[in-house]
Coordinates of all heavy atoms in Angstrom, one line a residue:
C199 N -14.6 -3.9 10.7 CA -14.9 -3.1 11.9 C -15.0 -1.6 11.5 O -15.8 -0.8 12.0 CB -13.9 -3.3 13.0 SG -14.2 -2.4 14.5
G200 N -14.0 -1.2 10.7 CA -13.9 0.2 10.3 C -15.2 0.7 9.6 O -15.7 1.8 9.8
A201 N -15.7 -0.2 8.7 CA -16.9 0.1 8.0 C -18.1 0.3 8.9 O -19.0 1.1 8.7 CB -17.2 -0.9 6.9
W202 N -18.2 -0.6 9.9 CA -19.3 -0.5 10.9 C -19.2 0.8 11.6 O -20.2 1.5 11.8 CB -19.2 -1.7 11.8 CG -20.4 -1.8 12.7 CD1 -21.6 -2.6 12.4 CD2 -20.7 -1.2 13.9 NE1 -22.5 -2.4 13.4 CE2 -22.0 -1.5 14.4 CE3 -19.9 -0.3 14.7 CZ2 -22.5 -1.1 15.6 CZ3 -20.5 0.2 15.9 CH2 -21.7 -0.2 16.3
V203 N -18.0 1.1 12.1 CA -17.8 2.4 12.9 C -18.2 3.6 12.0 O -18.9 4.5 12.4 CB -16.4 2.5 13.4 CG1 -16.1 3.8 14.0 CG2 -16.1 1.4 14.5
A204 N -17.7 3.6 10.8 CA -18.0 4.7 9.9 C -19.5 4.9 9.7 O -20.0 6.0 9.7 CB -17.3 4.5 8.5
N205 N -20.2 3.8 9.4 CA -21.6 3.8 9.2 C -22.4 4.2 10.5 O -23.4 5.0 10.4 CB -22.2 2.5 8.7 CG -21.9 2.4 7.2 OD1 -22.5 3.1 6.4 ND2 -21.0 1.5 6.9
F206 N -21.9 3.8 11.7 CA -22.5 4.3 12.9 C -22.4 5.8 13.1 O -23.3 6.5 13.4 CB -21.9 3.5 14.1 CG -22.5 3.9 15.4 CD1 -23.5 3.1 16.0 CD2 -22.1 5.0 16.1 CE1 -24.0 3.4 17.2 CE2 -22.6 5.4 17.3 CZ -23.6 4.5 17.9
L207 N -21.2 6.3 12.8 CA -20.9 7.7 12.9 C -21.8 8.5 11.9 O -22.4 9.5 12.3 CB -19.4 8.0 12.6 CG -18.4 7.4 13.6 CD1 -17.0 7.7 13.1 CD2 -18.6 7.9 15.0
L208 N -22.0 8.0 10.7 CA -22.8 8.7 9.7 C -24.3 8.6 10.1 O -25.0 9.6 10.0 CB -22.7 8.0 8.3 CG -21.3 8.3 7.6 CD1 -21.2 7.4 6.4 CD2 -21.2 9.8 7.3
A209 N -24.7 7.5 10.7 CA -26.1 7.4 11.1 C -26.4 8.3 12.3 O -27.4 9.0 12.3 CB -26.4 5.9 11.5
A210 N -25.4 8.4 13.2 CA -25.6 9.3 14.3 C -25.7 10.8 13.9 O -26.6 11.5 14.3 CB -24.4 9.2 15.3
E211 N -24.8 11.1 13.0 CA -24.8 12.5 12.4 C -26.1 12.8 11.7 O -26.6 13.9 11.8 CB -23.6 12.6 11.4 CG -23.5 14.0 10.8 CD -23.0 15.1 11.8 OE1 -22.4 14.7 12.8 OE2 -23.3 16.3 11.5
S212 N -26.6 11.8 11.0 CA -27.9 12.1 10.3 C -29.1 12.3 11.2 O -30.1 12.9 10.9 CB -28.2 10.9 9.4 OG -28.7 9.8 10.1
L213 N -28.9 11.9 12.5 CA -29.9 12.1 13.5 C -29.6 13.3 14.4 O -30.3 13.5 15.4 CB -30.1 10.8 14.3 CG -30.6 9.6 13.6 CD1 -30.5 8.3 14.4 CD2 -32.0 9.8 13.0
G214 N -28.6 14.0 14.1 CA -28.2 15.2 14.9 C -27.4 14.8 16.2 O -27.4 15.6 17.1
V215 N -26.8 13.6 16.2 CA -26.1 13.2 17.4 C -24.6 13.2 17.0 O -24.2 12.7 16.0 CB -26.5 11.8 17.8 CG1 -25.7 11.3 18.9 CG2 -28.0 11.7 18.1
A216 N -23.8 13.9 17.8 CA -22.4 13.9 17.6 C -21.7 12.6 18.1 O -22.2 12.1 19.1 CB -21.7 15.1 18.4
A217 N -20.7 12.1 17.4 CA -20.1 10.9 17.8 C -18.6 10.9 17.5 O -18.2 11.5 16.5 CB -20.7 9.7 17.1
I218 N -17.8 10.3 18.4 CA -16.4 10.3 18.3 C -15.9 8.9 18.5 O -16.0 8.3 19.6 CB -15.7 11.2 19.3 CG1 -16.2 12.7 19.1 CG2 -14.2 11.2 19.2 CD1 -15.8 13.6 20.2
P219 N -15.2 8.3 17.5 CA -14.6 7.0 17.7 C -13.3 7.1 18.5 O -12.6 8.1 18.4 CB -14.2 6.5 16.3 CG -14.0 7.8 15.5 CD -15.0 8.8 16.1
Q220 N -13.1 6.1 19.4 CA -11.9 6.2 20.3 C -11.2 4.9 20.3 O -11.5 4.0 21.1 CB -12.4 6.5 21.7 CG -13.0 7.9 21.8 CD -13.6 8.2 23.1 OE1 -13.6 7.4 24.0 NE2 -14.0 9.4 23.3
A221 N -10.2 4.7 19.4 CA -9.4 3.5 19.3 C -8.5 3.3 20.5 O -8.2 2.2 20.8 CB -8.6 3.5 18.0
A222 N -8.1 4.4 21.1 CA -7.2 4.3 22.3 C -7.9 3.5 23.4 O -7.2 3.0 24.3 CB -6.8 5.7 22.8
L223 N -9.2 3.4 23.4 CA -9.9 2.6 24.4 C -9.4 1.2 24.5 O -9.4 0.5 25.5 CB -11.4 2.7 24.2 CG -12.3 2.2 25.3 CD1 -12.2 3.0 26.5 CD2 -13.7 2.2 24.8
A224 N -9.0 0.6 23.3 CA -8.5 -0.7 23.3 C -7.3 -1.0 24.2 O -7.1 -2.1 24.6 CB -8.2 -1.1 21.8
A225 N -6.5 0.1 24.4 CA -5.3 0.0 25.3 C -5.7 -0.3 26.7 O -4.9 -0.7 27.5 CB -4.5 1.2 25.2
Y226 N -7.0 0.0 27.1 CA -7.5 -0.2 28.4 C -8.5 -1.3 28.5 O -9.5 -1.3 29.2 CB -8.1 1.1 28.9 CG -7.1 2.3 28.9 CD1 -7.1 3.2 27.9 CD2 -6.2 2.4 29.9 CE1 -6.2 4.2 27.8 CE2 -5.3 3.5 29.9 CZ -5.3 4.4 28.8 OH -4.4 5.4 28.8
S227 N -8.3 -2.3 27.6 CA -9.3 -3.4 27.5 C -9.5 -4.1 28.8 O -10.7 -4.6 29.0 CB -8.9 -4.3 26.4 OG -7.7 -5.0 26.7
D228 N -8.6 -4.2 29.7 CA -8.8 -4.9 30.9 C -9.8 -4.2 31.8 O -10.7 -4.8 32.3 CB -7.5 -5.1 31.7 CG -6.5 -6.0 31.1 OD1 -6.9 -6.9 30.3 OD2 -5.3 -5.9 31.4
F229 N -9.7 -2.9 31.8 CA -10.7 -2.1 32.6 C -12.1 -2.2 31.9 O -13.1 -2.4 32.6 CB -10.3 -0.6 32.6 CG -11.3 0.3 33.2 CD1 -11.5 0.3 34.6 CD2 -12.2 1.0 32.4 CE1 -12.4 1.1 35.2 CE2 -13.2 1.8 33.0 CZ -13.3 1.9 34.4
V230 N -12.2 -2.1 30.6 CA -13.4 -2.2 29.9 C -14.1 -3.6 30.1 O -15.3 -3.7 30.3 CB -13.2 -1.9 28.4 CG1 -14.5 -2.1 27.6 CG2 -12.7 -0.4 28.2
R231 N -13.2 -4.6 30.0 CA -13.8 -6.0 30.2 C -14.4 -6.1 31.6 O -15.5 -6.7 31.7 CB -12.6 -7.0 30.0 CG -12.2 -7.2 28.6 CD -11.0 -8.2 28.6 NE -10.4 -8.2 27.3 CZ -11.0 -8.7 26.3 NH1 -12.2 -9.3 26.4 NH2 -10.4 -8.7 25.1
A232 N -13.7 -5.7 32.6 CA -14.1 -5.8 34.0 C -15.4 -5.0 34.1 O -16.4 -5.5 34.7 CB -13.1 -5.3 34.9
H233 N -15.5 -3.8 33.6 CA -16.7 -2.9 33.8 C -17.9 -3.5 33.1 O -19.0 -3.5 33.7 CB -16.4 -1.5 33.2 CG -17.5 -0.5 33.5 ND1 -17.7 0.0 34.7 CD2 -18.5 -0.1 32.6 CE1 -18.8 0.8 34.6 NE2 -19.3 0.7 33.3
F234 N -17.7 -4.0 31.9 CA -18.9 -4.5 31.2 C -19.1 -6.0 31.3 O -20.0 -6.6 30.7 CB -18.8 -4.1 29.7 CG -19.0 -2.7 29.5 CD1 -17.9 -1.8 29.1 CD2 -20.3 -2.1 29.6 CE1 -18.1 -0.5 28.9 CE2 -20.4 -0.7 29.4 CZ -19.4 0.1 29.1
G235 N -18.2 -6.7 32.0 CA -18.3 -8.2 32.2 C -18.1 -8.9 30.9 O -18.7 -9.9 30.6
L236 N -17.1 -8.5 30.1 CA -16.8 -9.1 28.8 C -15.8 -10.3 29.1 O -14.9 -10.1 29.8 CB -16.2 -8.1 27.9 CG -17.0 -6.9 27.5 CD1 -16.2 -6.0 26.6 CD2 -18.3 -7.4 26.8
G237 N -16.1 -11.4 28.4 CA -15.3 -12.5 28.5 C -14.1 -12.5 27.6 O -14.0 -11.6 26.7
P238 N -13.1 -13.4 27.8 CA -11.9 -13.4 27.0 C -12.1 -13.7 25.5 O -11.3 -13.5 24.7 CB -11.0 -14.5 27.6 CG -12.0 -15.3 28.3 CD -13.2 -14.5 28.7
D239 N -13.4 -14.1 25.1 CA -13.7 -14.4 23.7 C -14.1 -13.2 23.0 O -14.4 -13.3 21.8 CB -14.8 -15.5 23.7 CG -16.1 -15.0 24.3 OD1 -16.0 -14.3 25.3 OD2 -17.2 -15.4 23.9
R240 N -14.1 -12.0 23.6 CA -14.5 -10.8 23.0 C -13.3 -9.9 22.8 O -12.4 -9.8 23.7 CB -15.5 -10.0 23.8 CG -16.8 -10.8 24.0 CD -17.5 -11.0 22.7 NE -18.7 -11.8 22.9 CZ -19.5 -12.2 22.0 NH1 -19.2 -12.0 20.7 NH2 -20.6 -12.9 22.3
L241 N -13.1 -9.2 21.7 CA -12.1 -8.2 21.5 C -12.6 -6.8 21.7 O -13.7 -6.5 21.3 CB -11.5 -8.3 20.0 CG -10.8 -9.6 19.6 CD1 -10.4 -9.5 18.2 CD2 -9.5 -9.8 20.5
V242 N -11.8 -6.0 22.3 CA -12.1 -4.6 22.5 C -11.3 -3.9 21.4 O -10.1 -3.8 21.5 CB -11.8 -4.1 23.9 CG1 -12.1 -2.6 24.0 CG2 -12.6 -4.8 24.9
V243 N -12.0 -3.4 20.4 CA -11.3 -2.7 19.3 C -11.3 -1.2 19.4 O -10.3 -0.5 19.2 CB -12.0 -3.1 17.9 CG1 -11.3 -2.4 16.8 CG2 -11.9 -4.6 17.7
C244 N -12.5 -0.7 19.8 CA -12.6 0.7 20.0 C -13.9 1.0 20.7 O -14.7 0.1 20.9 CB -12.6 1.5 18.7 SG -14.1 1.3 17.7
G245 N -14.1 2.2 21.1 CA -15.4 2.7 21.7 C -15.9 3.9 20.9 O -15.1 4.5 20.1
I246 N -17.1 4.2 21.1 CA -17.7 5.4 20.4 C -18.4 6.2 21.5 O -19.4 5.7 22.1 CB -18.7 5.0 19.3 CG1 -17.9 4.2 18.2 CG2 -19.3 6.3 18.7 CD1 -18.8 3.6 17.1
S247 N -18.0 7.4 21.7 CA -18.7 8.3 22.5 C -19.7 9.1 21.7 O -19.4 9.5 20.6 CB -17.8 9.3 23.2 OG -16.8 8.7 24.0
F248 N -21.0 9.2 22.2 CA -21.9 9.9 21.4 C -22.9 10.7 22.3 O -23.1 10.3 23.5 CB -22.7 9.1 20.4 CG -23.4 7.9 21.0 CD1 -24.7 7.9 21.3 CD2 -22.7 6.7 21.2 CE1 -25.4 6.8 21.9 CE2 -23.3 5.6 21.8 CZ -24.7 5.7 22.1
G249 N -23.4 11.8 21.8 CA -24.4 12.6 22.5 C -24.7 13.8 21.8 O -24.3 14.0 20.6
Y250 N -25.2 14.8 22.4 CA -25.6 16.1 21.8 C -24.4 17.1 22.0 O -24.1 17.3 23.2 CB -26.9 16.6 22.3 CG -28.0 15.7 21.9 CD1 -28.6 14.8 22.8 CD2 -28.5 15.6 20.5 CE1 -29.6 13.9 22.4 CE2 -29.4 14.7 20.2 CZ -30.0 13.9 21.1 OH -31.0 13.0 20.7
E251 N -23.9 17.6 20.9 CA -22.8 18.5 21.0 C -23.2 19.9 21.6 O -24.2 20.4 21.3 CB -22.3 18.8 19.6 CG -21.1 19.7 19.4 CD -20.7 20.0 18.0 OE1 -21.5 19.6 17.1 OE2 -19.7 20.6 17.8
D252 N -22.3 20.4 22.5 CA -22.5 21.7 23.0 C -21.5 22.6 22.2 O -20.3 22.7 22.6 CB -22.1 21.8 24.5 CG -22.2 23.1 25.1 OD1 -22.6 24.1 24.4 OD2 -22.0 23.2 26.3
K253 N -22.0 23.3 21.2 CA -21.1 24.1 20.3 C -20.5 25.3 21.0 O -19.6 25.8 20.5 CB -21.9 24.5 19.1 CG -22.3 23.3 18.2 CD -23.0 23.7 16.9 CE -23.3 22.4 16.1 NZ -23.8 22.7 14.8
S254 N -21.1 25.7 22.1 CA -20.6 26.9 22.8 C -19.5 26.5 23.8 O -18.8 27.4 24.3 CB -21.7 27.6 23.6 OG -22.2 26.7 24.6
H255 N -19.2 25.3 24.0 CA -18.1 24.9 24.9 C -16.8 25.1 24.3 O -16.6 24.7 23.1 CB -18.3 23.4 25.4 CG -17.4 23.1 26.5 ND1 -16.1 22.8 26.4 CD2 -17.7 22.9 27.8 CE1 -15.5 22.6 27.5 NE2 -16.5 22.6 28.5
P256 N -15.8 25.7 25.0 CA -14.5 26.0 24.3 C -13.8 24.8 23.8 O -13.1 24.9 22.8 CB -13.7 26.6 25.5 CG -14.7 27.1 26.4 CD -15.9 26.2 26.3
A257 N -14.0 23.6 24.4 CA -13.3 22.4 23.9 C -13.7 22.1 22.5 O -13.0 21.5 21.7 CB -13.5 21.3 24.9
N258 N -15.0 22.4 22.1 CA -15.5 22.1 20.8 C -15.1 23.0 19.7 O -15.4 22.8 18.6 CB -17.0 22.0 20.9 CG -17.4 20.8 21.7 OD1 -16.8 19.8 21.7 ND2 -18.5 20.9 22.4
S259 N -14.3 24.1 20.1 CA -13.8 25.0 19.1 C -12.3 24.7 18.7 O -11.8 25.3 17.8 CB -13.9 26.4 19.5 OG -13.1 26.7 20.7
Y260 N -11.7 23.7 19.4 CA -10.3 23.4 19.1 C -10.2 22.7 17.8 O -11.0 21.8 17.5 CB -9.8 22.5 20.2 CG -8.3 22.1 20.0 CD1 -7.3 23.0 20.3 CD2 -8.0 20.9 19.6 CE1 -6.0 22.7 20.0 CE2 -6.7 20.5 19.3 CZ -5.7 21.4 19.6 OH -4.4 21.1 19.4
R261 N -9.2 23.1 17.0 CA -9.0 22.4 15.7 C -7.5 22.2 15.6 O -6.7 23.0 15.9 CB -9.4 23.3 14.5 CG -10.9 23.6 14.5 CD -11.7 22.3 14.2 NE -13.1 22.5 14.2 CZ -14.0 22.3 15.2 NH1 -13.5 21.8 16.3 NH2 -15.2 22.5 15.1
T262 N -7.2 21.0 15.1 CA -5.8 20.6 14.9 C -5.3 21.1 13.6 O -6.1 21.3 12.7 CB -5.6 19.1 15.0 OG1 -6.4 18.5 14.0 CG2 -5.9 18.6 16.4
S263 N -4.0 21.3 13.4 CA -3.5 21.7 12.1 C -3.5 20.4 11.2 O -3.4 19.3 11.6 CB -2.1 22.3 12.2 OG -1.2 21.3 12.8
R264 N -3.5 20.7 9.9 CA -3.5 19.6 8.9 C -2.5 19.9 7.9 O -2.2 21.1 7.5 CB -4.9 19.5 8.2 CG -6.0 19.2 9.2 CD -6.1 17.7 9.5 NE -7.3 17.4 10.2 CZ -7.4 16.8 11.4 NH1 -6.3 16.5 12.0 NH2 -8.5 16.5 11.9
A265 N -1.9 18.9 7.3 CA -1.0 19.0 6.2 C -1.8 19.5 5.0 O -3.0 19.2 4.8 CB -0.3 17.7 5.8
S266 N -1.2 20.3 4.1 CA -1.9 20.7 2.9 C -2.1 19.5 2.0 O -1.4 18.5 2.1 CB -1.1 21.8 2.2 OG 0.1 21.2 1.6
L267 N -3.0 19.7 1.1 CA -3.3 18.6 0.1 C -2.1 18.2 -0.7 O -1.8 17.0 -0.9 CB -4.4 19.0 -0.8 CG -5.1 17.9 -1.7 CD1 -5.7 16.8 -0.8 CD2 -6.2 18.5 -2.5
D268 N -1.3 19.2 -1.1 CA -0.1 18.9 -1.9 C 1.0 18.2 -1.1 O 1.8 17.5 -1.6 CB 0.5 20.2 -2.5 CG -0.4 20.7 -3.6 OD1 -1.1 19.9 -4.3 OD2 -0.4 22.0 -3.8
E269 N 1.0 18.3 0.2 CA 1.9 17.6 1.1 C 1.5 16.2 1.3 O 2.3 15.3 1.5 CB 2.0 18.3 2.5 CG 2.7 19.6 2.4 CD 2.7 20.3 3.8 OE1 1.6 20.8 4.2 OE2 3.8 20.2 4.5
A270 N 0.2 15.9 1.2 CA -0.3 14.6 1.5 C -0.6 13.7 0.3 O -0.8 12.5 0.4 CB -1.6 14.7 2.3
V271 N -0.7 14.3 -0.9 CA -1.1 13.6 -2.1 C 0.0 13.8 -3.2 O 0.5 14.8 -3.4 CB -2.4 14.2 -2.6 CG1 -2.8 13.5 -4.0 CG2 -3.5 14.0 -1.6
T272 N 0.2 12.7 -3.9 CA 1.1 12.7 -5.1 C 0.2 12.6 -6.3 O -0.5 11.6 -6.5 CB 2.1 11.6 -5.1 OG1 2.9 11.7 -3.9 CG2 3.0 11.6 -6.3
W273 N 0.1 13.6 -7.1 CA -0.7 13.7 -8.3 C 0.0 13.1 -9.5 O 1.1 13.4 -9.7 CB -1.1 15.1 -8.6 CG -1.8 15.8 -7.5 CD1 -1.3 16.7 -6.6 CD2 -3.2 15.7 -7.1 NE1 -2.2 17.1 -5.7 CE2 -3.4 16.5 -6.0 CE3 -4.2 14.9 -7.6 CZ2 -4.7 16.6 -5.3 CZ3 -5.5 15.0 -7.0 CH2 -5.7 15.8 -5.9
L274 N -0.7 12.2 -10.2 CA -0.2 11.5 -11.4 C -1.0 11.9 -12.5 O -2.3 11.8 -12.5 CB -0.2 10.0 -11.2 CG 0.6 9.4 -10.0 CD1 0.4 7.9 -9.9 CD2 2.1 9.8 -10.1
D275 N -0.4 12.2 -13.6 CA -1.1 12.5 -14.9 C -1.2 11.3 -15.7 O -0.2 10.5 -15.8 CB -0.4 13.6 -15.7 CG -0.5 15.0 -14.9 OD1 -1.5 15.2 -14.3 OD2 0.5 15.7 -15.0
D276 N -2.3 11.0 -16.4 CA -2.5 9.9 -17.2 C -1.6 9.9 -18.5 O -1.3 10.9 -19.1 CB -3.9 9.7 -17.7 CG -4.8 9.2 -16.5 OD1 -4.2 8.6 -15.6 OD2 -6.0 9.4 -16.5

């Protein structure tokens, strides 16, 4: 599933379409099932929102902090 989502995101980006995967949607699977008429034989894993980005909107300028590379990686010498 992750590979499919990753490739969908890359394909959208290549066409100039912004896309955001939303795994939290699975927590609301009852609502999603009712809205789309999905049967119990289907799993809700995630959703993907996509459309054209409005780069001037303030929400699109928000950036989260990230750990530095040295904090997240252990380097090993051969």
Side-chain angles (χ1 to χ4, degrees):
C199 180
W202 189 93
V203 170
N205 281 291
F206 183 94
L207 297 175
L208 289 171
E211 181 72 22
S212 76
L213 297 171
V215 177
I218 301 171
Q220 299 176 351
L223 191 64
Y226 302 98
S227 63
D228 290 340
F229 173 81
V230 174
R231 286 177 191 290
H233 183 77
F234 290 107
L236 299 176
D239 60 326
R240 303 290 180 189
L241 293 176
V242 177
V243 178
C244 72
I246 300 175
S247 297
F248 57 95
Y250 296 102
E251 179 182 12
D252 178 0
K253 294 183 181 189
S254 66
H255 193 283
N258 292 327
S259 65
Y260 180 76
R261 297 293 179 261
T262 59
S263 60
R264 302 279 191 233
S266 70
L267 193 58
D268 288 333
E269 291 177 283
V271 176
T272 300
W273 301 100
L274 302 174
D275 294 324
D276 286 335

